[in-house]
């Protein structure tokens, strides 16, 4: 089968299409014929080795983290899935490889494709959906009636996070570009701040939580609007000691992360705020809950109109690296 691989970590965003055997499955896995794979910034981090302290991979590595596909083989101990089922998944962290014609995946990491999504739009949902779900439920421990602010939340993450937060009974405030205003308000946001006209840090104060999608340059402004006892969760700024402890990393690695995140932890503590960083994991049971929200709210993630094949993965990666796609970038692997 065709697969997209790297032979070593490299600052150069360059992959190679190779022929490798179709993987064999264990009793707990299913073999999936990949239909569509999504291209994320995470793939670039995997290629450059930027997250190897969190997850280091053996080489050569087949890259790709999320996909839609059809089950073509079922392990002996798998229940709830059968041959021919359409599924979507964020692949387990330790066993990625969505950029391939087939993938063997633990059945606990998959769920049935939501009824209102096709293979293309479905590929854009699992990673952002799980990030929002795990962030709100686990990292923030958010409760109904509390307020969460998502700066830069008009993109693919916000499309999933807003309805998930709304389903939890949260008040959701988003800042973003003017063209996404109506879509995000329709998804359940209670307030939308057009960043081209207003500065959120001059408008908001005393929010319970901020989910940062913008990175370290925005950290101080985000802290300034959170009430004491609140939390700031970042998808971009970087891991800290708490992240290492939560993931059960060895002491030496906890020390490294403590040093890396010390500046952000100090700033947060000064404001009486807890800082968290998230690196999303696979979870089929959470995808089941996310699927209900997707179907009930008819959420259809935006997908960039440019069509790519496996042979064009490098072009797709460059589009993601440019930071200007018009929705999730996807690769059509098979018809």
């Amino acid at each position: 089968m065709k697969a997209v691989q790297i032979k070593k970590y490299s600052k150069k965003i360059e992959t190679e299409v190779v022929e490798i055997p179709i993987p064999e499955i264990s009793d707990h896995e299913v073999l999936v014929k990949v239909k569509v794979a999504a291209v994320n910034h995470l793939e670039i981090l995997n290629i450059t080795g930027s997250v190897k302290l969190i997850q280091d991979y053996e080489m050569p590595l087949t890259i790709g983290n999320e996909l839609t596909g059809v089950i073509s083989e079922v392990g002996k101990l798998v229940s709830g899935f059968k041959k021919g089922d359409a599924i979507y998944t964020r692949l387990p962290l330790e066993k990625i490889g969505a950029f391939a014609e087939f993938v063997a995946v633990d059945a606990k990491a998959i769920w049935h494709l939501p009824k209102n999504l096709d293979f293309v739009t479905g590929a854009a949902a699992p990673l952002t959906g799980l990030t929002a779900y795990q962030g709100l439920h686990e990292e923030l421990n958010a409760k109904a009636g509390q307020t969460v602010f998502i700066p830069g939340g008009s993109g693919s993450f916000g499309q999933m996070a807003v309805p998930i937060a709304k389903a939890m009974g949260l008040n959701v405030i988003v800042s973003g570009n003017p063209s996404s205003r109506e879509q995000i308000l329709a998804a359940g946001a209670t307030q939308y701040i057009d960043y081209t006209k207003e500065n959120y840090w001059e408008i908001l104060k005393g929010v319970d939580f901020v989910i940062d999608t913008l990175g370290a340059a925005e950290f101080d402004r985000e802290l300034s609007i959170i009430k004491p006892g609140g939390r700031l969760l970042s998808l971009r700024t970087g891991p800290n000691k708490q992240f290492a402890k939560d993931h059960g990393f060895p002491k030496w690695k906890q020390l490294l992360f403590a040093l890396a995140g010390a500046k952000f932890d100090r700033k947060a503590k000064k404001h009486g705020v807890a800082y968290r960083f998230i690196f999303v994991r696979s979870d089929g049971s959470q995808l089941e809950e996310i699927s209900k929200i997707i179907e009930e709210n008819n959420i259809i993630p935006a997908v960039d109109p440019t069509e790519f094949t496996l042979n064009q993965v490098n072009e797709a990666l460059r589009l993601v690296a440019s930071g200007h796609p018009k929705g999730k970038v996807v690769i059509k692997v098979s018809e």
Side-chain angles (χ1 to χ4, degrees), residues 36 56 83 89 101 108-109 164 171 185 215 217 286:
V36 179
D56 199 2
K83 188 175 176 179
T89 181
E101 291 179 308
K108 289 181 180 175
I164 290 171
N171 300 311
L185 287 172
Q286 289 182 353

Side-chain angles (χ1 to χ4, degrees), residues 7 28 76 86 88-89 99 120 172 185 212 235 281 289:
K7 291 190 171 70
H28 296 276
K76 294 174 187 173
Y88 72 148
T89 181
F99 296 176
V120 173
V172 192
L185 287 172
D212 162 58
L235 318 184
R281 67 180 191 280
E289 295 304 310

Side-chain angles (χ1 to χ4, degrees), residues 23-321:
E24 294 184 3
I25 60 169
S26 72
D27 291 347
H28 296 276
E29 292 181 320
V30 295
L31 184 68
V32 176
K33 180 177 174 63
V34 180
K35 290 288 188 179
V36 179
V39 187
N40 299 281
H41 190 68
L42 179 55
E43 273 74 58
I44 295 166
L45 299 178
N46 290 149
I47 291 166
T48 58
S50 300
V51 290
K52 67 181 178 184
L53 273 177
I54 296 173
Q55 183 66 52
D56 199 2
Y57 293 103
E58 288 185 11
M59 298 292 164
L61 171 68
T62 302
I63 63 168
N65 287 273
E66 68 178 332
L67 61 86
T68 55
V70 175
I71 295 175
S72 60
E73 196 179 329
V74 180
K76 294 174 187 173
L77 300 178
V78 172
S79 60
F81 298 97
K82 64 184 185 306
K83 188 175 176 179
D85 282 352
I87 63 95
Y88 72 148
T89 181
R90 186 271 190 262
L91 293 172
L93 201 58
E94 65 281 1
K95 196 176 181 183
I96 61 172
F99 296 176
E101 291 179 308
F102 289 89
V103 63
V105 54
D106 192 312
K108 289 181 180 175
I110 67 174
W111 192 248
H112 303 281
L113 188 66
K115 294 181 179 67
N116 62 318
L117 301 183
D118 58 22
F119 288 118
V120 173
T121 53
L127 200 140
T128 49
L130 286 167
T131 303
Y133 193 92
Q134 290 168 19
L136 289 161
H137 283 272
E138 299 172 3
E139 301 292 344
L140 298 180
N141 193 25
K143 307 294 183 197
Q146 292 181 306
T147 298
V148 60
F149 171 56
I150 309 173
S154 58
S156 59
F157 175 74
Q159 288 174 35
M160 295 298 300
V162 170
I164 290 171
K166 183 191 175 190
M168 294 170 66
L170 296 169
N171 300 311
V172 192
I173 305 170
V174 172
S175 70
N177 60 59
S179 62
S180 299
R181 179 186 183 90
E182 296 311 315
Q183 182 188 15
I184 296 296
L185 287 172
T190 48
Q191 185 178 349
Y192 192 88
I193 299 169
D194 175 353
Y195 83 93
T196 65
K197 294 180 180 176
E198 300 174 296
N199 295 322
Y200 69 79
W201 57 92
E202 294 172 348
I203 298 168
L204 303 176
K205 63 178 180 179
V207 303
D208 296 287
F209 311 113
V210 169
I211 301 180
D212 162 58
T213 72
L214 302 173
E218 208 66 21
F219 196 83
D220 291 341
R221 289 168 174 169
E222 291 167 349
L223 277 181
S224 73
I225 66 166
I226 304 173
K227 68 170 64 168
R231 292 187 178 187
L232 192 164
L233 172 66
S234 182
L235 318 184
R236 297 284 298 276
T237 295
N240 61 349
K241 185 178 181 180
Q242 187 65 49
F243 174 85
K245 286 175 70 175
D246 289 346
H247 286 74
F249 290 157
K251 291 291 183 187
W252 68 268
K253 201 176 273 193
Q254 288 187 30
L255 180 61
L256 279 179
F257 283 111
L259 290 169
K263 177 174 74 171
F264 303 109
D265 282 337
R266 274 197 306 272
K267 286 183 175 183
K269 189 176 180 182
K270 201 171 176 181
H271 283 78
V273 170
Y275 171 58
R276 294 284 189 275
F277 176 75
I278 188 168
F279 200 80
V280 68
R281 67 180 191 280
S282 60
D283 192 313
S285 60
Q286 289 182 353
L287 277 181
E288 180 181 4
E289 295 304 310
I290 292 163
S291 293
K292 292 173 188 172
I293 296 169
I294 288 173
E295 290 172 357
E296 285 167 11
N297 294 275
N298 194 29
I299 300 166
I300 300 175
V303 174
D304 188 272
T306 317
E307 291 196 1
F308 296 101
T309 66
L310 275 183
N311 291 321
Q312 298 167 313
V313 168
N314 290 327
E315 290 96 317
L317 287 164
R318 282 193 281 272
L319 177 56
V320 171

